[in-house]
Amino acid sequence: MWAIARTELKKTVQDKGLWFWTFVLPIVFIVAFVAIFSGDESTSYKEVVTQIIPGYTIMFAFFIMISMVIVFVKDRERGMVARIASTPLSIHQYFFGKWLPFMIIVLVQITVLFGFGVVVYDLPLGDPFALILLSLALAFIVTGWGMAMAVIVRTENMGIAMTQILALGGALLGGLWMPVEFMPDVVQNISKALPQYWALQGYKEIILSGGGVADIWLHLLILIIAGVAGGVLALVSYPRFLRQSRS
Amino acid sequence: MIKVENISKYYGTLQALNNISFTINEGTCFGLVGPNGAGKSTLMKILSGILLNFDGDIHVRDWKVSKDRLKIKQQIGYIPQEICLEDTLTARDNLILFGNLYGLKGKELQRRMDEVLDQIGLSERVKDKVVTFSGGMKRRLNIGCALLHKPGIVIMDEPTVGIDPQSRNSIFSIIHQLKAEGSTIIYSSHYMEEVEQLCDSIGLIDKGQLMEFGRMEELLEKYAKPSLFIAGESIELGMLQTFGEAEAKGNGYLLNSDEPLLTLEKLVAHCRENSLEPRRLELYHPRLEDIFFNLTGTQLRDA
């Protein structure tokens, strides 16, 4: 299990594309959108950075699913899935080993982007314990869904397309690009079915309203349940994934 | 000893394997041959513990696959047809990964890595990334990764596909060394001459069924008709048929005979009398390929 995790982390760190999607592009977006919206006199500077920095952090956290899809599909195509299945490693250990590095990457991503917000835009952080728990829950759901997607999709392109729909569609409807209060009632109701909404509302609760763990327990619960559902779906789909593997 | 008992496998309604049973003795090399789509890969996947849902059972020593899967997996070194290596990492990283997966750590892992690297001839390239390796080097490393934990059973699925003769020769040396050390080898290949050269016994599988199983010499004897091979511009099928059952083979003819030496004498006399000059005239030793075509036919199977 740790061997798989170590190898995956080593490979992932070498992937320049991942660095771009995970750190460079989100920072470019944050800088650009804070510059555009901080001129709006009807909204306070704190509200702007509290909407944009967590919003884009959540949106780009979902893009880890692309890297996960690429890794799993490649493993399937070159027979690595079947090769590992021939070793004494259990399915659970295999998934844990594959999942852990991506969880770490998303947590580092959240830390870097929030850190950037603090240093450059004076972003307030609120209760650190609540912030860490919510960030763990966010990393858990995106990597859980990433695993499910990676195991289910037939091709890399299909996985990338579906991630775009989930990440960008979820960002639009979940209020990451603009506060849900500005959206029609129907869209506001749809938002509540999306993890992006619960993650952003959780961050706002902590940062803007000074909330603690007691104030975001529902947000945490929803994100964790959604993440577990992704993990279970990945496990259930594994036999089919293994059958499709070359050997 | 590996005892395969009544193995059947369905993919939906398609039956990939139909009630297959055979036994492989410890320390021998068993060749599994069959045309494309015969069920070979399915059987290899079952034997290597990749496919879990199937009817029947496999006994390895005192263990049963249905009960002792992990113990059996620890005894198996599976070398897949695909090159399963992390290209962007070094040979060392790959060996560490597979060593760890079989529970090897620290000094023991280092000692086995040194031994295996020496065995596969890659000691000098251990720190290089796999992406810089030739096809043959990758194949050898692929084998090395499966030998680190000193498996008692080595399953090789077409390990010589797409490599140069030197690398193939090196892989044969590894197999001979494994046999000498007492490992049981299950070897699947489309190259009949390799199977004939390396294996003590064979199983021929087609359409999900075990068509033949036995020791190589026994099978060659069972299916081989004593015959002569004759080739030359002046040699015609009609003339040969006066001596016995004859058929075209390659660039000549095969003449079956219960008494090949006597037929050879008669044929030589006939050629002298009629001033015929065969380019080749020799006793024909049947090959595994002949048995293969005999049992599976010569029609293409990739349709």
Side-chain angles (χ1 to χ4, degrees):
Chain A
M1 180 176 77
W2 299 114
I4 297 273
R6 260 197 313 273
T7 305
E8 203 55 59
L9 195 60
K10 213 167 186 176
K11 267 165 50 189
T12 310
V13 167
Q14 292 178 3
D15 180 3
K16 292 188 179 75
L18 184 92
W19 285 91
F20 178 76
W21 283 103
T22 310
F23 301 108
V24 179
L25 200 62
I27 287 174
V28 170
F29 267 71
I30 287 169
V31 170
F33 281 90
V34 169
I36 292 166
F37 289 104
S38 57
D40 182 4
E41 289 176 0
S42 62
T43 318
S44 72
Y45 179 77
K46 189 179 176 186
E47 278 174 324
V48 168
V49 294
T50 310
Q51 168 69 32
I52 289 174
I53 296 171
Y56 282 96
T57 300
I58 295 164
M59 185 179 92
F60 280 98
F62 272 82
F63 278 91
I64 197 72
M65 290 167 74
I66 290 180
S67 298
M68 295 182 82
V69 164
I70 291 171
V71 163
F72 276 79
V73 171
K74 266 191 187 153
D75 273 6
R76 192 187 68 197
E77 295 299 312
R78 65 204 168 100
M80 193 58 117
V81 175
R83 175 70 182 91
I84 289 171
S86 75
T87 71
L89 196 77
S90 72
I91 299 168
H92 298 90
Q93 288 172 321
Y94 168 72
F95 273 116
F96 188 81
K98 283 281 179 189
W99 165 80
L100 189 61
F102 292 104
M103 183 81 183
I104 292 169
I105 290 164
V106 176
L107 288 173
V108 172
Q109 179 188 35
I110 295 170
T111 309
V112 168
L113 297 183
F114 272 75
F116 179 79
V118 170
V119 173
V120 179
Y121 298 112
D122 208 16
L123 175 76
L125 290 181
D127 179 2
F129 185 58
L131 195 73
I132 289 168
L133 278 184
L134 189 64
S135 300
L136 279 166
L138 173 63
F140 184 70
I141 192 240
V142 296
T143 51
W145 282 24
M147 267 200 318
M149 175 92 75
V151 172
I152 289 168
V153 293
R154 289 193 179 274
T155 64
E156 205 174 288
N157 283 340
M158 188 179 163
I160 292 170
M162 284 179 71
T163 303
Q164 307 268 23
I165 293 167
L166 270 175
L168 299 178
L172 176 69
L173 298 172
L176 304 186
W177 290 346
M178 70 166 95
V180 284
E181 297 82 41
F182 298 159
M183 296 181 189
D185 287 347
V186 177
V187 180
Q188 286 191 37
N189 286 331
I190 294 171
S191 294
K192 288 178 182 142
L194 298 169
Q196 285 95 335
Y197 169 85
W198 291 100
L200 183 63
Q201 295 311 313
Y203 279 126
K204 281 184 171 176
E205 185 65 36
I206 298 165
I207 296 169
L208 276 180
S209 312
V213 177
D215 303 302
I216 58 157
W217 70 268
L218 182 62
H219 307 73
L220 289 173
L221 190 67
I222 288 170
L223 293 176
I224 290 167
I225 288 172
V228 168
V232 169
L233 193 58
L235 279 171
V236 168
S237 308
Y238 175 79
R240 182 175 143 273
F241 179 65
L242 176 60
R243 267 201 311 277
Q244 290 171 343
S245 172
R246 286 169 185 259
S247 60
Chain B
M1 190 176 73
I2 302 167
K3 194 174 176 187
V4 173
E5 267 185 349
N6 307 317
I7 295 284
S8 292
K9 171 72 188 171
Y10 285 86
Y11 292 114
T13 55
L14 177 78
Q15 188 168 29
L17 294 175
N18 182 7
N19 207 30
I20 287 187
S21 301
F22 58 85
T23 302
I24 304 168
N25 291 325
E26 204 146 334
T28 63
C29 182
F30 168 72
L32 186 63
V33 294
N36 286 339
K40 257 187 349 273
S41 294
T42 301
L43 185 55
M44 291 295 265
K45 280 184 180 177
I46 288 174
L47 289 168
S48 52
I50 296 169
L51 277 184
L52 309 177
N53 299 319
F54 58 88
D55 297 327
D57 211 341
I58 299 173
H59 301 253
V60 177
R61 290 172 189 160
D62 296 329
W63 302 310
K64 273 184 171 185
V65 163
S66 52
K67 285 182 184 168
D68 311 294
R69 192 177 300 279
L70 285 183
K71 283 179 190 163
I72 293 175
K73 279 186 170 184
Q74 192 66 39
Q75 288 298 314
I76 289 175
Y78 174 58
I79 300 156
Q81 185 180 343
E82 298 293 325
I83 293 174
C84 295
L85 300 169
E86 296 294 355
D87 258 15
T88 55
L89 303 182
T90 64
R92 185 174 183 276
D93 290 332
N94 277 279
L95 289 167
I96 289 173
L97 167 65
F98 284 101
N100 286 167
L101 289 179
Y102 286 98
L104 295 176
K105 284 174 191 164
K107 285 181 182 171
E108 171 68 359
L109 175 61
Q110 189 57 52
R111 188 181 61 77
R112 280 300 296 151
M113 274 169 54
D114 291 343
E115 286 172 5
V116 164
L117 282 164
D118 190 44
Q119 196 174 9
I120 61 176
L122 288 174
S123 299
E124 303 295 312
R125 300 293 302 270
V126 67
K127 288 179 183 168
D128 293 344
K129 286 190 177 179
V130 174
V131 73
T132 64
F133 284 13
S134 69
M137 289 161 77
K138 285 180 185 173
R139 283 251 167 241
R140 272 145 52 207
L141 183 59
N142 208 30
I143 293 174
C145 289
L147 301 181
L148 280 166
H149 61 295
K150 270 196 171 283
I153 301 160
V154 181
I155 299 179
M156 298 179 148
D157 193 0
E158 311 222 16
T160 57
V161 169
I163 56 169
D164 60 44
Q166 282 81 4
S167 286
R168 178 180 290 191
N169 204 40
S170 164
I171 290 173
F172 285 1
S173 300
I174 295 168
I175 294 170
H176 285 303
Q177 197 179 336
L178 288 169
K179 280 175 78 173
E181 287 168 1
S183 298
T184 306
I185 299 167
I186 300 174
Y187 191 91
S188 167
S189 177
H190 277 124
Y191 301 124
M192 295 296 147
E193 71 280 7
E194 282 184 9
V195 177
E196 201 174 328
Q197 186 185 334
L198 296 168
C199 300
D200 307 299
S201 61
I202 67 155
L204 198 153
I205 189 169
D206 194 18
K207 294 172 185 161
Q209 290 187 314
L210 190 66
M211 308 291 283
E212 258 308 345
F213 173 83
R215 290 189 62 77
M216 187 72 74
E217 312 90 74
E218 288 167 6
L219 291 179
L220 288 171
E221 196 152 314
K222 181 177 173 184
Y223 286 95
K225 290 178 187 168
S227 51
L228 299 168
F229 181 80
I230 181 163
E233 282 74 36
S234 53
I235 305 300
E236 290 174 355
L237 184 62
M239 179 275 282
L240 291 174
Q241 279 169 341
T242 62
F243 291 90
E245 192 188 325
E247 59 183 305
K249 183 168 179 71
N251 58 357
Y253 300 99
L254 210 55
L255 177 60
N256 296 322
S257 167
D258 291 335
E259 294 177 291
L261 283 176
L262 188 64
T263 309
L264 180 65
E265 276 179 29
K266 286 180 184 172
L267 200 54
V268 169
H270 179 84
C271 289
R272 277 193 189 134
E273 281 167 22
N274 296 282
S275 303
L276 302 174
E277 289 186 7
R279 198 174 59 247
R280 278 176 68 190
L281 176 55
E282 60 197 25
L283 286 168
Y284 180 76
H285 300 286
R287 314 298 303 264
L288 179 59
E289 193 174 66
D290 298 312
I291 301 175
F292 183 84
F293 285 132
N294 193 339
L295 290 171
T296 63
T298 52
Q299 281 197 320
L300 290 173
R301 294 296 184 88
D302 50 1

Short mmCIF file of all heavy atoms in Angstrom, two decimals, chain B residues 41-68:
data_model
loop_
_atom_site.label_atom_id
_atom_site.label_comp_id
_atom_site.label_asym_id
_atom_site.label_seq_id
_atom_site.Cartn_x
_atom_site.Cartn_y
_atom_site.Cartn_z
N SER B 41 -5.37 -16.68 -22.35
CA SER B 41 -5.17 -15.54 -21.46
C SER B 41 -6.06 -15.65 -20.23
O SER B 41 -5.64 -15.33 -19.12
CB SER B 41 -5.46 -14.23 -22.18
OG SER B 41 -4.52 -14.04 -23.18
N THR B 42 -7.28 -16.11 -20.44
CA THR B 42 -8.20 -16.28 -19.30
C THR B 42 -7.62 -17.28 -18.31
O THR B 42 -7.60 -17.03 -17.10
CB THR B 42 -9.58 -16.76 -19.81
OG1 THR B 42 -10.09 -15.79 -20.72
CG2 THR B 42 -10.56 -16.94 -18.67
N LEU B 43 -7.09 -18.39 -18.85
CA LEU B 43 -6.50 -19.41 -17.97
C LEU B 43 -5.27 -18.86 -17.25
O LEU B 43 -5.08 -19.09 -16.05
CB LEU B 43 -6.15 -20.66 -18.78
CG LEU B 43 -5.64 -21.86 -17.99
CD1 LEU B 43 -6.62 -22.26 -16.89
CD2 LEU B 43 -5.40 -23.06 -18.92
N MET B 44 -4.44 -18.10 -17.96
CA MET B 44 -3.24 -17.49 -17.35
C MET B 44 -3.66 -16.53 -16.23
O MET B 44 -3.02 -16.48 -15.18
CB MET B 44 -2.41 -16.73 -18.39
CG MET B 44 -1.75 -17.62 -19.41
SD MET B 44 -0.50 -18.70 -18.72
CE MET B 44 0.98 -17.76 -18.96
N LYS B 45 -4.73 -15.75 -16.49
CA LYS B 45 -5.19 -14.80 -15.47
C LYS B 45 -5.72 -15.53 -14.24
O LYS B 45 -5.54 -15.08 -13.11
CB LYS B 45 -6.29 -13.90 -16.04
CG LYS B 45 -5.78 -12.76 -16.90
CD LYS B 45 -6.94 -11.89 -17.33
CE LYS B 45 -6.48 -10.73 -18.20
NZ LYS B 45 -7.62 -9.93 -18.68
N ILE B 46 -6.39 -16.65 -14.46
CA ILE B 46 -6.89 -17.43 -13.32
C ILE B 46 -5.72 -18.02 -12.54
O ILE B 46 -5.67 -17.95 -11.32
CB ILE B 46 -7.86 -18.53 -13.82
CG1 ILE B 46 -9.19 -17.89 -14.27
CG2 ILE B 46 -8.12 -19.57 -12.74
CD1 ILE B 46 -10.17 -18.85 -14.91
N LEU B 47 -4.76 -18.58 -13.27
CA LEU B 47 -3.61 -19.21 -12.61
C LEU B 47 -2.79 -18.19 -11.82
O LEU B 47 -2.23 -18.50 -10.78
CB LEU B 47 -2.70 -19.88 -13.65
CG LEU B 47 -3.25 -21.15 -14.29
CD1 LEU B 47 -2.41 -21.56 -15.49
CD2 LEU B 47 -3.31 -22.29 -13.29
N SER B 48 -2.74 -16.94 -12.32
CA SER B 48 -1.93 -15.93 -11.63
C SER B 48 -2.72 -15.16 -10.57
O SER B 48 -2.20 -14.24 -9.96
CB SER B 48 -1.31 -14.97 -12.64
OG SER B 48 -2.29 -14.46 -13.49
N GLY B 49 -3.97 -15.55 -10.36
CA GLY B 49 -4.76 -14.94 -9.28
C GLY B 49 -5.39 -13.62 -9.63
O GLY B 49 -5.87 -12.90 -8.76
N ILE B 50 -5.40 -13.26 -10.92
CA ILE B 50 -6.00 -11.98 -11.32
C ILE B 50 -7.51 -12.12 -11.43
O ILE B 50 -8.25 -11.28 -10.94
CB ILE B 50 -5.40 -11.49 -12.66
CG1 ILE B 50 -3.91 -11.22 -12.49
CG2 ILE B 50 -6.12 -10.25 -13.16
CD1 ILE B 50 -3.16 -10.99 -13.79
N LEU B 51 -7.96 -13.18 -12.07
CA LEU B 51 -9.40 -13.41 -12.19
C LEU B 51 -9.87 -14.21 -10.98
O LEU B 51 -9.32 -15.26 -10.68
CB LEU B 51 -9.72 -14.18 -13.47
CG LEU B 51 -9.85 -13.37 -14.76
CD1 LEU B 51 -10.26 -14.27 -15.90
CD2 LEU B 51 -10.85 -12.24 -14.60
N LEU B 52 -10.88 -13.69 -10.33
CA LEU B 52 -11.29 -14.29 -9.07
C LEU B 52 -12.53 -15.17 -9.21
O LEU B 52 -12.69 -16.14 -8.48
CB LEU B 52 -11.56 -13.20 -8.02
CG LEU B 52 -10.44 -12.16 -7.85
CD1 LEU B 52 -10.85 -11.10 -6.86
CD2 LEU B 52 -9.15 -12.82 -7.39
N ASN B 53 -13.43 -14.79 -10.10
CA ASN B 53 -14.69 -15.53 -10.19
C ASN B 53 -14.65 -16.56 -11.31
O ASN B 53 -14.66 -16.21 -12.48
CB ASN B 53 -15.85 -14.54 -10.45
CG ASN B 53 -15.97 -13.56 -9.30
OD1 ASN B 53 -15.84 -13.95 -8.14
ND2 ASN B 53 -16.17 -12.31 -9.63
N PHE B 54 -14.58 -17.81 -10.91
CA PHE B 54 -14.59 -18.91 -11.88
C PHE B 54 -15.08 -20.16 -11.16
O PHE B 54 -15.06 -20.24 -9.93
CB PHE B 54 -13.19 -19.12 -12.48
CG PHE B 54 -12.12 -19.41 -11.48
CD1 PHE B 54 -11.85 -20.71 -11.05
CD2 PHE B 54 -11.36 -18.38 -10.93
CE1 PHE B 54 -10.87 -20.97 -10.12
CE2 PHE B 54 -10.38 -18.63 -9.98
CZ PHE B 54 -10.13 -19.93 -9.58
N ASP B 55 -15.52 -21.12 -11.94
CA ASP B 55 -15.95 -22.40 -11.35
C ASP B 55 -14.74 -23.33 -11.30
O ASP B 55 -13.84 -23.23 -12.13
CB ASP B 55 -17.05 -23.03 -12.21
CG ASP B 55 -18.28 -22.15 -12.25
OD1 ASP B 55 -18.54 -21.47 -11.24
OD2 ASP B 55 -18.96 -22.12 -13.30
N GLY B 56 -14.75 -24.24 -10.36
CA GLY B 56 -13.63 -25.17 -10.20
C GLY B 56 -12.64 -24.66 -9.17
O GLY B 56 -12.93 -23.69 -8.46
N ASP B 57 -11.51 -25.32 -9.07
CA ASP B 57 -10.52 -24.88 -8.08
C ASP B 57 -9.10 -25.21 -8.57
O ASP B 57 -8.93 -26.00 -9.49
CB ASP B 57 -10.77 -25.57 -6.73
CG ASP B 57 -10.36 -24.67 -5.56
OD1 ASP B 57 -9.58 -23.72 -5.79
OD2 ASP B 57 -10.81 -24.91 -4.44
N ILE B 58 -8.15 -24.55 -7.93
CA ILE B 58 -6.74 -24.82 -8.25
C ILE B 58 -6.03 -25.14 -6.93
O ILE B 58 -6.20 -24.41 -5.95
CB ILE B 58 -6.08 -23.60 -8.93
CG1 ILE B 58 -6.81 -23.28 -10.25
CG2 ILE B 58 -4.60 -23.87 -9.20
CD1 ILE B 58 -6.34 -22.01 -10.90
N HIS B 59 -5.29 -26.22 -6.92
CA HIS B 59 -4.51 -26.59 -5.74
C HIS B 59 -3.04 -26.31 -6.04
O HIS B 59 -2.53 -26.72 -7.07
CB HIS B 59 -4.65 -28.09 -5.43
CG HIS B 59 -6.06 -28.51 -5.17
ND1 HIS B 59 -6.53 -28.83 -3.93
CD2 HIS B 59 -7.11 -28.65 -6.02
CE1 HIS B 59 -7.80 -29.15 -4.02
NE2 HIS B 59 -8.18 -29.05 -5.29
N VAL B 60 -2.41 -25.57 -5.15
CA VAL B 60 -0.97 -25.33 -5.25
C VAL B 60 -0.34 -25.86 -3.97
O VAL B 60 -0.64 -25.36 -2.88
CB VAL B 60 -0.66 -23.84 -5.43
CG1 VAL B 60 0.84 -23.60 -5.46
CG2 VAL B 60 -1.30 -23.30 -6.70
N ARG B 61 0.49 -26.87 -4.12
CA ARG B 61 1.02 -27.60 -2.95
C ARG B 61 -0.17 -28.01 -2.06
O ARG B 61 -1.06 -28.67 -2.55
CB ARG B 61 2.03 -26.73 -2.21
CG ARG B 61 3.29 -26.60 -3.07
CD ARG B 61 4.28 -25.63 -2.54
NE ARG B 61 5.32 -25.41 -3.53
CZ ARG B 61 6.13 -24.38 -3.55
NH1 ARG B 61 6.06 -23.47 -2.60
NH2 ARG B 61 7.03 -24.24 -4.48
N ASP B 62 -0.20 -27.56 -0.79
CA ASP B 62 -1.32 -27.96 0.08
C ASP B 62 -2.41 -26.90 0.13
O ASP B 62 -3.31 -26.98 0.95
CB ASP B 62 -0.79 -28.21 1.50
CG ASP B 62 0.18 -29.37 1.53
OD1 ASP B 62 0.01 -30.28 0.71
OD2 ASP B 62 1.11 -29.35 2.35
N TRP B 63 -2.30 -25.90 -0.71
CA TRP B 63 -3.27 -24.80 -0.65
C TRP B 63 -4.29 -24.87 -1.78
O TRP B 63 -4.01 -25.38 -2.85
CB TRP B 63 -2.55 -23.45 -0.73
CG TRP B 63 -1.53 -23.23 0.32
CD1 TRP B 63 -1.70 -23.41 1.66
CD2 TRP B 63 -0.18 -22.80 0.13
NE1 TRP B 63 -0.53 -23.10 2.33
CE2 TRP B 63 0.42 -22.73 1.42
CE3 TRP B 63 0.59 -22.45 -0.96
CZ2 TRP B 63 1.73 -22.33 1.61
CZ3 TRP B 63 1.89 -22.06 -0.79
CH2 TRP B 63 2.46 -22.00 0.50
N LYS B 64 -5.44 -24.26 -1.48
CA LYS B 64 -6.49 -24.14 -2.50
C LYS B 64 -6.66 -22.66 -2.83
O LYS B 64 -6.70 -21.83 -1.91
CB LYS B 64 -7.83 -24.64 -1.94
CG LYS B 64 -8.07 -26.11 -2.08
CD LYS B 64 -9.47 -26.40 -1.57
CE LYS B 64 -9.87 -27.83 -1.87
NZ LYS B 64 -11.27 -28.06 -1.49
N VAL B 65 -6.81 -22.34 -4.10
CA VAL B 65 -7.01 -20.93 -4.48
C VAL B 65 -8.25 -20.35 -3.81
O VAL B 65 -8.27 -19.20 -3.38
CB VAL B 65 -7.10 -20.81 -6.02
CG1 VAL B 65 -7.71 -19.48 -6.44
CG2 VAL B 65 -5.71 -20.92 -6.64
N SER B 66 -9.29 -21.18 -3.70
CA SER B 66 -10.55 -20.68 -3.12
C SER B 66 -10.39 -20.28 -1.66
O SER B 66 -11.16 -19.48 -1.15
CB SER B 66 -11.63 -21.74 -3.27
OG SER B 66 -11.18 -22.98 -2.75
N LYS B 67 -9.39 -20.84 -0.96
CA LYS B 67 -9.23 -20.54 0.48
C LYS B 67 -7.95 -19.76 0.78
O LYS B 67 -7.94 -18.94 1.69
CB LYS B 67 -9.18 -21.86 1.27
CG LYS B 67 -10.51 -22.52 1.43
CD LYS B 67 -10.31 -23.78 2.28
CE LYS B 67 -11.62 -24.55 2.40
NZ LYS B 67 -11.38 -25.88 2.96
N ASP B 68 -6.88 -20.08 0.07
CA ASP B 68 -5.56 -19.54 0.45
C ASP B 68 -4.99 -18.65 -0.65
O ASP B 68 -3.81 -18.77 -1.01
CB ASP B 68 -4.60 -20.70 0.72
CG ASP B 68 -5.20 -21.74 1.64
OD1 ASP B 68 -5.44 -21.43 2.80
OD2 ASP B 68 -5.43 -22.87 1.16
#
